Amino acid sequence: MPIYKAPVEDVQFLLNDVFQIDRYDNLPGFSDASADVREAILGEAAKLSEEVLQPLNRVGDLEGCKRNADGSVTTPKGFKDAFRQVAEGGWLGLSMPTEYGGQGLPMTLSQSVTEFLSSANMAFSMYGGLTTGAIAALLVHGSAEQKSKYVPKMVAGEWTGTMNLTEPQCGTDLGLIRSKAVKQADGSYKISGTKIFISAGEHDLADNIIHLVLARIEGAPAGIKGISLFVAPKFLVSADGSLGARNGVTCGSIEHKMGIHGNSTCVMNYDGATGWLIGGENKGMQAMFVMMNEARLGVGVQGLAQSEVAYQNAAAYARDRLQGRALSGPQAPDKPADPIIVHPDVRRTLLTIRAFNEAARAMVVWTSLKSDVAHRSNDPTDREAADDHMGLLTPVLKGYLTETGFANAVQAQQMYGGHGYIAEQGMEQFVRDARIAMIYEGANGIQALDLVGRKLPRDGGRAVMAFFGEVGAFAKEHGGDEAMKPFVAPLSTALGHLQQATTWLMQNAMMKPDNAGAAATDYMHLFGLVTLGYMWAKMAKIAQDKIAGSGTTAYLSTKLVTGRFFMERVLPATSAHLARVQSGSATIMELAADAF
Amino acid sequence: MPIYKAPVEDVQFLLNDVFQIDRYDNLPGFSDASADVREAILGEAAKLSEEVLQPLNRVGDLEGCKRNADGSVTTPKGFKDAFRQVAEGGWLGLSMPTEYGGQGLPMTLSQSVTEFLSSANMAFSMYGGLTTGAIAALLVHGSAEQKSKYVPKMVAGEWTGTMNLTEPQCGTDLGLIRSKAVKQADGSYKISGTKIFISAGEHDLADNIIHLVLARIEGAPAGIKGISLFVAPKFLVSADGSLGARNGVTCGSIEHKMGIHGNSTCVMNYDGATGWLIGGENKGMQAMFVMMNEARLGVGVQGLAQSEVAYQNAAAYARDRLQGRALSGPQAPDKPADPIIVHPDVRRTLLTIRAFNEAARAMVVWTSLKSDVAHRSNDPTDREAADDHMGLLTPVLKGYLTETGFANAVQAQQMYGGHGYIAEQGMEQFVRDARIAMIYEGANGIQALDLVGRKLPRDGGRAVMAFFGEVGAFAKEHGGDEAMKPFVAPLSTALGHLQQATTWLMQNAMMKPDNAGAAATDYMHLFGLVTLGYMWAKMAKIAQDKIAGSGTTAYLSTKLVTGRFFMERVLPATSAHLARVQSGSATIMELAADAF
């Protein structure tokens, strides 16, 4: 039976010490999230995750979701009660506006809670995650009436939300959407079409499901410019908020998937379903992007979350499993064998995962903080800088964290030997669940392309220059500090590689976009490595300062060793990524399609 | 429905041109394997794999194996008939000695057939694979009576074989085995204990199952020196070869696994089962190593095989799937979108997999050829050199090919976007099936440790010096050839990294074995990369010579582009591995076990 303990201490180190979020008390909601409040909330979230959600993780995997003959869907045993606890605990509204019943607290805090929930039970946490994504889109693009009609109930967890984009012929390229919307005399639309891969599309956890759906209004322009966004609830909602007639949107089947069995991934059939336009006609993509940015951050967190829970189990197993003797001689001579954690290769594996987890968590907090600034600050300069950061780092966070998170789950499974391949141990579920995060909300190749093709050149490279400026300034400021050398020197080298890769792209990709495409994934990895390297350098500085100030602790000394491991063992990969970026696209584009 | 087409042309290029196996006509069996015979056999193996085995792959995954109330096991629908075809076709005996009913052909040929079978249906192919591994151990260590009693029926596929090593408390460390053997008056032994993870432990494909089992004779020394190997058939075999009483070895349950559902992975209960000693008392490990070396080569081939079939499907999908437009402008303006193979990142992914597959296949042929020389040559110098090669490259082949093969299956799945996560597409099965190859027959961390701890220092480094000598001589010979520069220059750099890493190990790991352990996995990857780089350089030279001689073909020109891709995009990873090796073990060993 897998274990899970929420990394509360690590989150507190990030919020309190590394990013010192108390400095942001002037932003709405931040002063309500004092250190005491944060500690209480994180403690409660940990309890919910460890005691309620984690025990349901394997149940969800084994039982999956069942579509009944009437089209209703039954979720795994225990999910309904657990979702009620999540809703009643106010967890969905943690950082939602108070005017819609939320608590208005910083996203910086709620993303940490999201990590705990996702580590404990990824499939379950998606019901809430999709709901908050749908709320975000409604808040930005919905009419006042739509907001007041749907958002409070969603914030309360009485209703949930979905995103309906994908169709069988249309995944990445939403311009290929065929679902049709026909305008009615009363201003509503009748929507028809088939959507696939709809997470939480139908279930028994809530009284109503608010579907956000992309469709094409009759006569709209072809392609991406003719897509509109609609809200189509499962049950129509009367003016007084009560539930009316069942709408013409139903679950046709549940997909058979590799993992996240506890989430009902549905084929949704729209058969003249009644929907209302969100935002303007043919402006669906803009509205959708709001939802997608939130969702991409959340998916990146899923990568971290599965890596974290897989690590915890692998570390516990490595301490317990007796097998063989240490290379340097028996460490537990009274036992039939030493625990496998004596072996350098086991430690190398565990530290590789741990060094990622802690820096990835820092990157999530850093980026969430920027999101809060972008949404809440009244200083336009701050908002712009924060928005630049979000735009630049969101694809990196989604792509790099999910890819590495999955690889880490695989390596954690490996620590179990043959037992890792056996379902009862739970390790293979982490691998199967983590796998989807590399795919949905824009497959990682698309994230990489978004990074090099859109985010990098935007505004003359303003965002990436700011990033280089910040990291470079840190390296300069602490370069002379002897204790920081093991961190600053490798970071500077890695930053140099990223800057060279960026220069190469500027010189070679403008005229020849294939060079950007060929470089994209390696550039994204390079960016991810440098970002995590910067996070480690920041954390090391703070840890050293704390130790100098009030003495060391087990937490702080472990932090410094883990950080040094990252610098010595993980960061050297930047040189290979640079070499690949600089190799260009000629060889890649040389073969005809049928030669593959 | 996944596709599969056996890479016959590629195997022929390797056998006929790159390794020119006709030069080995003086070895027993080689002259029977003329080019025509090889072509016929590969063609028939392709047909069997494509038409009989591949269609059963998903059936096997869906149905799995069922243990019935009486302890018997039912394999998936169609497996029994398919196994009969494999047996009657003589496929298990392809390279087995003619005196036991085999065809005595080179292992170099039969390993290629193994690849086809494993690509088509990995779970199915294991029934035969375990059988040939058990035959190998019997041939080397069995008595004349044991050989004549068991081997002919196994070669004919009437009976199958198993390897029974693992127990719940004992995986890597076989010294912890608890299964007991008690000597009987008639010279036989009564064996009792529980074995887990026993592939093909019980099934309905053959009349008898010949279990090879490790156990500890009463009074034997503790640890690895007290382990003996026994043969314990499911049904006792009378002197006339007829089947007698049911032996006391039964399937207690079938493991619930991540993949290879079509293979019955059993918990086997030995309850006073009758067995006979193979080799001497307490000499079980020596006998087992024979089986394991064969098996490790076979498992490495599984890594390649899953990578190959996953690639073929991903390439086909990328040619068909219409989504988005090329960065350089529409390529299929008459269609609603371009096929995704126009995208550099898709091509990069496909070429990464393909460049591995073709070089890994060359490495398998190369190593199999050395195995044939080691077993069949009557020149002791040749035998020794070939045995050195086998010893050195077997852990690299097992560890590097399975790890990269799995990663490739994951990347091939990625090409499908969300569809890759759906079971019906078959891509996620390749991932789940490929995953086990990193674990069984010695988890990859153990392979790495075997490489650096045993194989590298053995005989004063004779094997690795011979390897460096061969690769270095090739680079020197062709370094001045302009056309070969794109291959020789990167190969020389990579070889230099491997040599530096080797020197570092010699200087730092002798006195401090933790430095070897900390370096092991990176060293294994570095070795794998250099080996595949050398394979590419050899293949490129032959391809260039053939083009110069008789003009180019689509096959040869694609080969050269794929090879250049490997040199530009894959090989640069050697520098990061070298840096990690040289970072030593200090940081890794610093934390106390409970700090993890």
Side-chain angles (χ1 to χ4, degrees), chain A residues 58 166-174 176 196-197 255-260 265 311 315 319 321-328 336-337 341-348 350-351 354 403 406 409-411 413-415 417-424 428 431-436 438-439 443-446 448-449 513-522 557-558 561-562 564-565 568-576 579-581 583-596, chain B residues 58 166-174 176 196-197 255-260 265 311 315 319 321-328 336-337 341-348 350-351 354 403 406 409-415 417-424 428 431-436 438-439 443-446 448-449 513-522 557-558 561-562 564-565 568-576 579-581 583-596:
Chain A
R58 182 152 154 74
T166 307
E167 299 180 5
Q169 79 292 348
C170 146
T172 298
D173 185 356
L174 293 172
L176 299 175
I196 62 173
F197 306 158
E255 314 272 12
H256 304 115
K257 312 186 295 289
M258 184 181 192
I260 51 165
T265 311
Y311 168 82
R319 277 191 297 264
R321 174 74 170 173
L322 303 178
Q323 207 75 188
R325 290 295 183 187
L327 297 170
S328 53
I341 202 160
V342 302
H343 295 296
D345 193 57
V346 168
R347 291 170 158 255
R348 179 194 61 78
L350 292 175
L351 280 167
R354 184 186 183 112
E403 193 136 331
F406 171 76
V410 170
Q411 286 306 314
Q413 177 191 24
Q414 187 74 10
M415 294 300 91
H419 298 276
Y421 203 63
I422 302 300
E424 283 81 353
E428 59 94 37
V431 172
R432 289 185 289 103
D433 287 356
R435 182 67 185 88
I436 188 60
M438 291 164 63
I439 298 172
N444 286 355
I446 299 300
L449 215 54
D514 281 340
N515 278 335
T521 290
D522 279 289
S557 62
T558 301
V561 173
T562 309
R564 271 196 281 113
F565 177 89
E568 292 171 7
R569 288 269 175 172
V570 183
L571 211 48
T574 54
S575 62
R580 290 188 193 122
V581 166
S583 73
S585 61
T587 303
I588 283 178
M589 300 312 291
E590 196 168 335
L591 293 181
D594 62 6
F596 280 86
Chain B
R58 183 154 153 72
T166 307
E167 300 180 4
Q169 79 292 349
C170 145
T172 298
D173 184 356
L174 293 171
L176 299 176
I196 62 172
F197 307 158
E255 314 272 12
H256 304 115
K257 311 185 299 287
M258 186 182 192
I260 52 165
T265 310
Y311 168 81
R319 277 191 296 265
R321 173 74 169 174
L322 304 178
Q323 205 77 189
R325 291 293 183 188
L327 297 170
S328 52
I341 202 159
V342 303
H343 295 296
D345 193 56
V346 168
R347 292 170 157 254
R348 178 194 61 78
L350 292 174
L351 281 167
R354 185 185 182 113
E403 194 136 329
F406 170 77
V410 170
Q411 286 306 315
Q413 177 191 24
Q414 187 74 11
M415 294 299 91
H419 298 275
Y421 202 64
I422 302 300
E424 283 81 352
E428 60 95 35
V431 172
R432 288 184 291 104
D433 287 356
R435 182 67 185 87
I436 188 60
M438 291 164 64
I439 298 173
N444 285 356
I446 299 300
L449 215 53
D514 281 340
N515 278 334
T521 290
D522 280 290
S557 62
T558 300
V561 173
T562 310
R564 272 195 282 112
F565 177 89
E568 293 171 6
R569 288 271 175 170
V570 183
L571 211 47
T574 55
S575 63
R580 291 187 193 123
V581 166
S583 73
S585 61
T587 303
I588 284 178
M589 301 311 291
E590 196 168 334
L591 293 180
D594 61 6
F596 279 86

Side-chain angles (χ1 to χ4, degrees), chain B residues 7 38 95 114 169 187 213 217 234 260-261 276 287 319 329 342 383 386 413 435 440 481 490 499 512 528 531 555:
Chain B
R38 296 196 299 263
S95 56
T114 298
Q169 79 292 349
V213 51
I217 297 172
K234 174 180 171 183
I260 52 165
H261 295 158
W276 290 269
R319 277 191 296 265
V342 303
R383 278 208 310 273
Q413 177 191 24
R435 182 67 185 87
Y440 60 18
D481 179 349
Q499 288 170 323
K512 198 173 172 189
T531 307
Y555 174 82

Side-chain angles (χ1 to χ4, degrees), chain A residues 310-526:
Chain A
Y311 168 82
Q312 290 188 16
N313 283 277
Y317 189 81
R319 277 191 297 264
D320 283 352
R321 174 74 170 173
L322 303 178
Q323 207 75 188
R325 290 295 183 187
L327 297 170
S328 53
Q331 301 293 301
D334 53 321
K335 292 185 178 159
D338 291 336
I340 62 172
I341 202 160
V342 302
H343 295 296
D345 193 57
V346 168
R347 291 170 158 255
R348 179 194 61 78
T349 304
L350 292 175
L351 280 167
T352 300
I353 307 174
R354 184 186 183 112
F356 165 82
N357 292 347
E358 296 184 7
R361 184 172 295 120
M363 183 185 182
V364 168
V365 169
W366 189 33
T367 306
S368 301
L369 188 54
K370 298 287 184 180
S371 173
D372 277 326
V373 172
H375 287 108
R376 302 183 187 205
S377 173
N378 51 25
D379 179 335
T381 314
D382 287 354
R383 279 207 310 273
E384 182 184 272
D387 194 62
D388 280 357
H389 174 105
M390 283 285 292
L392 184 68
L393 286 193
T394 296
V396 178
L397 199 153
K398 196 280 181 183
Y400 186 70
L401 266 52
T402 60
E403 193 136 331
T404 314
F406 171 76
N408 288 346
V410 170
Q411 286 306 314
Q413 177 191 24
Q414 187 74 10
M415 294 300 91
Y416 281 65
H419 298 276
Y421 203 63
I422 302 300
E424 283 81 353
Q425 293 284 356
M427 299 304 286
E428 59 94 37
Q429 183 188 346
F430 298 141
V431 172
R432 289 185 289 103
D433 287 356
R435 182 67 185 88
I436 188 60
M438 291 164 63
I439 298 172
Y440 60 18
E441 298 310 331
N444 286 355
I446 299 300
Q447 303 298 330
L449 215 54
D450 179 45
L451 175 66
V452 299
R454 264 195 226 126
K455 302 304 177 57
L456 210 53
R458 199 161 74 176
D459 302 313
R462 191 177 66 204
V464 75
M465 288 308 152
F467 178 88
F468 291 162
E470 176 169 348
V471 181
F474 182 94
K476 198 169 176 186
E477 183 182 351
H478 303 290
D481 178 349
E482 198 58 36
M484 280 298 288
K485 281 218 170 116
F487 298 93
V488 173
L491 175 63
S492 297
T493 303
L495 177 64
H497 292 158
L498 180 61
Q499 287 170 325
Q500 286 176 65
T502 308
T503 304
W504 189 91
L505 280 171
M506 291 196 293
Q507 290 169 347
N508 294 280
M510 302 290 198
M511 301 298 287
K512 199 174 171 190
D514 281 340
N515 278 335
T521 290
D522 279 289
Y523 187 81
M524 180 178 77
H525 279 258
L526 181 45

